[in-house]
Amino acid sequence: MKNAFLCIFLLLTAIPALAQTSNLDELPMPVLRQKLATSTNDTNKVQVQLALGHLMLQKPVSVERDIDSARKFASQASVLSRQLNYHFGIINSMLLNSEIATNQGDRETGLKIAQNVLAFSQKHHNSDGEARSYHLIAQCYQRSDPVELHKRIFYINKSIAIFRKNRNALWLSYLLTANADLLFQAGRTTEGLRLLFEALNLGKGVSRRTVEGIYWNIGRTSFRLGDYTNALKYNLLALRTAREVNDTTLQISVINHFIASTYIKMQDYGRAIPYSLEVLKLAKRYNDSDFVNTELPVLASEYMHNKQVSKALSILNELKSRAHSNLENLSVSVDFLNNLIYAKRLVEADQYAQEVKRLLALIPPDNLKEVMNAYNALASYYSETGQVKQAYHYTELYANMAHKLNYIAGIRTAEYRYYKLVSLKGDLKSAMAHLLKEQEIKDSIDNAEKAYQISLLHIENETLEKNRHIDSLTRQAQIKDSKLKRNQLIQNVTIAGAVMLLTITGLIYSRYRLKQRSNNLLTLQKSEIDEKNTALQHLVIDKNELLEDKDRLLLEKDLLLKEVNHRVKNNLQIVMNLLHSQSVYLSNESAQQAILESQNRVRSIALIHDQLYKTEHISQINLSSYIKELILSLDDSLNQKTNNVAIVCNIENIALDVSQAIPLGIVLNEMVTNALKYAFPNDKIGSIKIVVKQTGSFIEMQISDNGVGLPADFDLESTKTLGITLLKGLTAQLKGTFAAENNNGLTITLRFPVEVPINQAQLLNT
């Protein structure tokens, strides 16, 4: 919840760079001041004054003194322009005054000045001034009001039409980007994307700074719609472009924040940390306390999820020392509560839960963000501590606010928590209704994300096709121009030859005829060569189109496979939830234990499909990360109460095909489950060691414990228990062997060959 509001905050506070009045706008301020000191009273001096005025408004943190300086430069440019009768300077000095008034919050004055500029520009037939006037009139209408948003789009479209007609690529790319942002806010995503890619094509030819902003706009739109792959791609492009143009404004912090937020959404907290640190570094350089206070809890959460608990708590304590008002103290207490819940330090979390409840009574209800965060944190805390009544109460408060604000992610969170709480009460029917509602919301979000990805892919392809078509037309024009020049040259030579025929002897005429025949032969040969080159170009183009079709089909296949894995994982999760819900109604301990074991077996399969969905590989998983996640799940399920058995993993980094990973996971689940259940009776302290390594074309897995071992009369061959039956059957499926050894505990060794999937084997043989 907090991350969602944080994104809204950054979207509203990030200040895009103003489009240029002239090429001087991209020069640094010291260079402009030097030019102003050495310039004479001419039009160049006016342009320098206007550029300095714009730079004052573009400072990362503008103070009153900067606004006064911008106003002074606008006044000086206006006086000199009227002396020179320089319409460009008169118009742009008035526009600068309109920008200053609008930035100061005086929309009425800004609108009045912009309308005066429009009238002056139309009177003097200055289309550039007219277009910029429409742009500033648009700025005087608020984005938050739907009616004013429509007017704002209307006036920007009028400005775009003029700049498009004038072929002003710089301003056109800037306004297309601004209009795309408004269309996104109005829910017209596809239209906005088309404008952004058109602006990107224009911006690449005129200003790298403009390209930076466009990449960021595409990245943040992808983030907002849940397409985190494209969000990461375009924000990284924006960051790279910003470094190329040496951008040092707070826009860099906004880009870094979105990269960190994207990695958080992708649950890659380790990669998010450096970008959050960059945000804080720049925000502290500009002494922007709001930005610092916004990013600190994000960094604390990243450290906590990355198991760096001391660093996370240190940052939260720093944030606590910076809090002064009740609202700030509530926000900090909520951050402490959420992080301590994640760290399972519930005793320490209790004091912050009480503090959050105390501060809630002091906070006005119109602080929706903070109140919703508090309700969500309290619901999570009471749910974790098993206080169902309290958890249900705060979940209901949170759900009511989420519905009121139409906050879809919040509604989904509430529905899932309702499902867990109602399950504990024993109302299975209501629990399933909440679970299905949560799944329906999730599918709706996923469908919106996929629709956006498809639109983005189509628009990217359309842009590539248009660029390819433009390049083709350019080449054709160059060829035609070359042929025309060649024909003109031949014509001139022919005329000169004709004149020479009238003035020279018959011998010269004879030699000329010989030369003419040679030229005709060369022309014919050149024509044949041109025809062959044209045919070759068509062959290359056809080949490229076939390759593009192949790549597109492969991409669609990968997306479908990832969706299948995603669906399978979700269905297995529902099966586990159903088993868990069923176990609540069973009083027989053996039946409950059987359901728990079934849950763990299903989870071992679900984890594989979860990894296939999260990674780029569609048929292989990383054995190390999968086994560690499976062992952590078993440890939480079977060892959490006593916590007397340490599980140590030593697993090589091996990529294994899913057809072998599933039976291996079930075998490992059975072995570790039996060890945790039977090897350490009476809560005996012990350890389980898991070693997995690859030797040549074989994988060897060894699970050993220092428990009581097998009974002396235990016969592995004659035993018909479910665990031993599964072990034998799955070992045969892996085409491997296993052995058990009693020596200060039990050691079971499984060895099987690595199989290459059929499609890979075919590739290797071709």
Side-chain angles (χ1 to χ4, degrees):
M1 177 68 195
K2 186 163 187 175
N3 285 339
F5 278 110
L6 180 61
C7 292
I8 295 172
F9 166 76
L10 288 171
L11 291 180
L12 295 178
T13 56
I15 303 174
L18 298 173
Q20 295 176 208
T21 305
S22 68
N23 292 331
L24 295 173
D25 283 4
E26 289 196 343
L27 295 178
M29 191 169 293
V31 175
L32 287 173
R33 289 191 180 279
Q34 184 179 3
K35 283 182 174 292
L36 183 63
T38 57
S39 63
T40 58
N41 289 336
D42 56 13
T43 58
N44 288 329
K45 185 173 184 178
V46 172
Q47 292 184 15
V48 173
Q49 290 169 335
L50 292 171
L52 281 166
H54 278 99
L55 278 181
M56 291 296 175
L57 292 183
Q58 291 183 54
K59 279 191 172 182
V61 182
S62 293
V63 296
E64 189 64 31
R65 182 178 59 196
D66 298 322
I67 302 299
D68 290 339
S69 296
R71 192 177 286 113
K72 181 188 73 173
F73 285 123
S75 176
Q76 292 173 350
S78 176
V79 171
L80 182 55
S81 295
R82 293 184 187 278
Q83 292 174 359
L84 300 170
N85 196 27
Y86 182 39
H87 289 168
F88 174 90
I90 296 172
I91 291 170
N92 282 283
S93 60
M94 294 172 68
L95 290 171
L96 181 55
N97 278 321
S98 176
E99 290 174 8
I100 293 169
T102 304
N103 287 347
Q104 291 287 88
D106 188 357
R107 293 196 300 149
E108 183 176 347
T109 301
L111 179 59
K112 184 177 180 181
I113 296 174
Q115 289 171 339
N116 290 337
V117 182
L118 177 61
F120 181 90
S121 300
Q122 290 174 337
K123 178 181 177 182
H124 293 279
H125 307 290
N126 190 307
S127 59
D128 184 84
E130 184 180 354
R132 291 200 59 207
S133 301
Y134 281 130
H135 168 243
L136 283 184
I137 290 173
Q139 305 307 304
C140 298
Y141 292 98
Q142 292 183 337
R143 302 160 57 111
S144 55
D145 182 85
V147 176
E148 293 201 8
L149 176 63
H150 179 74
K151 290 181 179 179
R152 189 164 181 155
I153 294 172
F154 171 77
Y155 283 109
I156 284 190
N157 277 329
K158 290 179 75 69
S159 182
I160 286 173
I162 296 173
F163 281 127
R164 196 186 295 279
K165 182 179 179 181
N166 293 346
R167 297 186 179 181
N168 188 328
L170 179 61
W171 263 95
L172 184 57
S173 64
Y174 167 71
L175 289 180
L176 287 171
T177 304
N179 202 27
D181 190 45
L182 299 177
L183 290 173
F184 291 146
Q185 189 169 343
R188 296 155 63 180
T189 304
T190 302
E191 293 178 57
L193 280 174
R194 292 187 188 281
L195 293 187
L196 280 180
F197 277 93
E198 182 183 354
L200 186 62
N201 272 346
L202 292 168
K204 287 178 179 178
V206 292
S207 171
R208 295 294 292 167
R209 182 71 181 275
T210 302
V211 171
E212 172 195 346
I214 297 170
Y215 278 144
W216 173 73
N217 269 282
I218 299 174
R220 62 150 175 159
T221 302
S222 301
F223 180 91
R224 180 173 61 85
L225 294 174
D227 182 7
Y228 302 120
T229 301
N230 281 310
L232 185 61
K233 169 186 171 181
Y234 284 102
N235 274 302
L236 287 172
L237 284 172
L239 184 61
R240 186 180 70 184
T241 308
R243 289 170 178 165
E244 290 173 358
V245 299
N246 295 321
D247 186 2
T248 58
T249 66
L250 279 176
Q251 177 74 11
I252 294 294
S253 289
V254 176
I255 295 171
N256 277 309
H257 171 79
F258 269 92
I259 294 173
S261 298
T262 305
Y263 276 127
I264 290 173
K265 289 292 185 181
M266 298 170 78
Q267 298 184 354
D268 195 343
Y269 296 94
R271 290 189 179 181
I273 291 172
Y275 294 96
S276 288
L277 290 173
E278 281 296 316
V279 173
L280 290 170
K281 179 181 177 182
L282 191 60
K284 288 178 179 179
R285 182 195 303 172
Y286 288 115
N287 197 28
D288 192 323
S289 58
D290 289 338
F291 226 132
V292 173
N293 291 338
T294 301
E295 195 66 18
L296 279 175
V298 177
L299 182 60
S301 177
E302 291 165 357
Y303 278 134
M304 184 64 74
H305 282 79
N306 210 40
K307 309 301 182 186
Q308 302 182 52
V309 179
S310 60
K311 285 187 177 181
L313 295 178
S314 175
I315 290 173
L316 290 175
N317 284 320
E318 178 186 351
L319 196 61
K320 187 175 183 180
S321 68
R322 301 167 68 95
H324 302 293
S325 65
N326 287 332
L327 197 61
E328 291 172 344
N329 282 316
L330 175 64
S331 180
V332 174
S333 297
V334 168
D335 289 327
F336 265 105
L337 182 55
N338 285 327
N339 280 279
L340 290 171
I341 291 171
Y342 178 81
K344 304 296 183 184
R345 297 166 70 159
L346 300 179
V347 175
E348 297 175 56
D350 181 71
Q351 61 173 318
Y352 289 100
Q354 302 307 319
E355 181 67 7
V356 168
K357 291 167 67 176
R358 183 186 72 80
L359 290 168
L360 269 174
L362 306 175
I363 302 299
D366 57 343
N367 293 285
L368 299 179
K369 179 187 76 171
E370 289 77 12
V371 172
M372 282 189 74
N373 285 340
Y375 287 159
N376 190 36
L378 289 171
S380 177
Y381 168 72
Y382 286 120
S383 179
E384 286 290 327
T385 55
Q387 301 179 59
V388 178
K389 185 176 180 181
Q390 290 278 59
Y392 197 93
H393 170 69
Y394 286 107
T395 299
E396 196 164 24
L397 292 174
Y398 176 77
N400 288 337
M401 294 187 73
H403 280 285
K404 183 178 178 182
L405 295 173
N406 196 27
Y407 177 47
I408 303 302
I411 296 172
R412 178 189 171 195
T413 299
E415 288 295 332
Y416 187 75
R417 190 168 286 135
Y418 275 139
Y419 156 71
K420 294 175 67 177
L421 295 172
V422 173
S423 295
L424 292 175
K425 288 183 177 181
D427 188 353
L428 183 59
K429 183 177 180 181
S430 296
M432 287 305 301
H434 285 297
L435 181 61
L436 292 174
K437 181 66 176 176
E438 185 269 343
Q439 193 64 39
E440 180 184 344
I441 295 172
K442 182 180 183 301
D443 289 341
S444 176
I445 293 173
D446 289 344
N447 289 336
E449 175 192 343
K450 289 167 190 170
Y452 169 78
Q453 288 176 332
I454 292 171
S455 295
L456 182 59
L457 187 61
H458 282 320
I459 292 170
E460 286 178 334
N461 288 335
E462 287 175 6
T463 303
L464 289 174
E465 286 298 325
K466 287 179 181 178
N467 290 340
R468 192 177 293 113
H469 183 62
I470 291 170
D471 291 340
S472 176
L473 291 176
T474 302
R475 287 193 299 270
Q476 290 176 11
Q478 290 173 345
I479 292 171
K480 287 181 179 179
D481 185 57
S482 176
K483 287 182 177 179
L484 180 61
K485 289 180 179 179
R486 185 187 64 206
N487 291 336
Q488 289 175 343
L489 178 61
I490 293 173
Q491 185 179 9
N492 292 335
V493 171
T494 304
I495 293 172
V499 173
M500 291 176 65
L501 284 173
L502 299 175
T503 58
I504 61 176
T505 64
L507 180 60
I508 301 298
Y509 174 78
S510 176
R511 293 176 65 85
Y512 167 74
R513 293 292 296 170
L514 178 62
K515 181 178 180 181
Q516 190 179 45
R517 286 194 295 270
S518 299
N519 284 341
N520 289 336
L521 180 60
L522 289 174
T523 301
L524 179 62
Q525 290 175 344
K526 188 177 186 306
S527 177
E528 292 176 354
I529 292 172
D530 288 343
E531 289 177 358
K532 291 179 180 179
N533 286 338
T534 302
L536 183 59
Q537 287 177 353
H538 285 309
L539 287 174
V540 172
I541 291 172
D542 291 340
K543 180 180 178 182
N544 290 337
E545 289 176 350
L546 288 173
L547 290 175
E548 288 173 0
D549 288 340
K550 178 183 176 182
D551 292 339
R552 176 178 59 77
L553 291 172
L554 288 174
L555 176 61
E556 290 177 354
K557 186 197 79 171
D558 290 346
L559 289 174
L560 287 173
L561 287 176
K562 289 179 75 66
E563 176 62 19
V564 168
N565 285 313
H566 182 43
R567 290 290 182 178
V568 171
K569 187 262 292 185
N570 284 347
N571 291 337
L572 292 176
Q573 184 65 43
I574 291 175
V575 172
M576 288 189 287
N577 289 335
L578 289 172
L579 290 171
H580 174 71
S581 299
Q582 184 63 41
S583 68
V584 174
Y585 298 94
L586 297 176
S587 58
N588 186 297
E589 185 176 352
S590 297
Q592 288 182 336
Q593 189 64 32
I595 287 179
L596 177 59
E597 290 175 359
S598 298
Q599 280 183 286
N600 288 336
R601 291 175 185 128
V602 174
R603 185 181 289 109
S604 70
I605 302 173
L607 287 175
I608 289 176
H609 291 282
D610 187 43
Q611 280 215 0
L612 292 173
Y613 173 66
K614 290 180 179 178
T615 63
E616 294 298 327
H617 300 291
I618 60 174
S619 62
Q620 290 188 325
I621 68 165
N622 184 283
L623 204 56
S624 176
S625 59
Y626 165 64
I627 291 178
K628 289 178 181 177
E629 192 171 357
L630 176 59
I631 294 305
L632 180 61
S633 172
L634 290 173
D635 189 57
D636 287 341
S637 175
L638 301 173
N639 191 31
Q640 196 61 243
K641 292 183 179 180
T642 58
N643 200 24
N644 62 326
V645 179
I647 303 178
V648 181
C649 295
N650 184 7
I651 304 160
E652 291 185 357
N653 195 18
I654 303 169
L656 191 63
D657 187 80
V658 67
S659 63
Q660 290 190 297
I662 291 176
L664 180 65
I666 298 175
V667 168
L668 182 62
N669 178 79
E670 295 301 318
M671 293 179 179
V672 175
T673 299
N674 286 338
L676 289 171
K677 286 173 59 179
Y678 305 117
F680 307 99
N682 302 321
D683 296 337
K684 178 183 176 182
I685 296 175
S687 65
I688 300 172
K689 184 175 182 181
I690 301 169
V691 178
V692 181
K693 60 183 179 180
Q694 182 170 358
T695 305
S697 61
F698 284 82
I699 292 178
E700 183 173 298
M701 180 172 70
Q702 188 178 83
I703 300 95
S704 57
D705 62 68
N706 57 357
V708 298
L710 295 173
D713 59 346
F714 184 86
D715 185 1
L716 191 63
E717 294 297 325
S718 62
T719 302
K720 301 297 183 180
T721 63
L722 176 60
I724 295 300
T725 302
L726 280 174
L727 181 58
K728 292 178 179 178
L730 293 171
T731 301
Q733 183 177 338
L734 289 169
K735 300 179 181 178
T737 59
F738 76 93
E741 179 183 358
N742 251 339
N743 185 13
N744 294 324
L746 176 63
T747 298
I748 296 179
T749 302
L750 172 65
R751 190 170 188 268
F752 62 93
V754 179
E755 290 188 355
V756 179
I758 296 175
N759 58 342
Q760 292 186 20
Q762 290 173 347
L763 289 174
L764 291 173
N765 292 330
T766 58

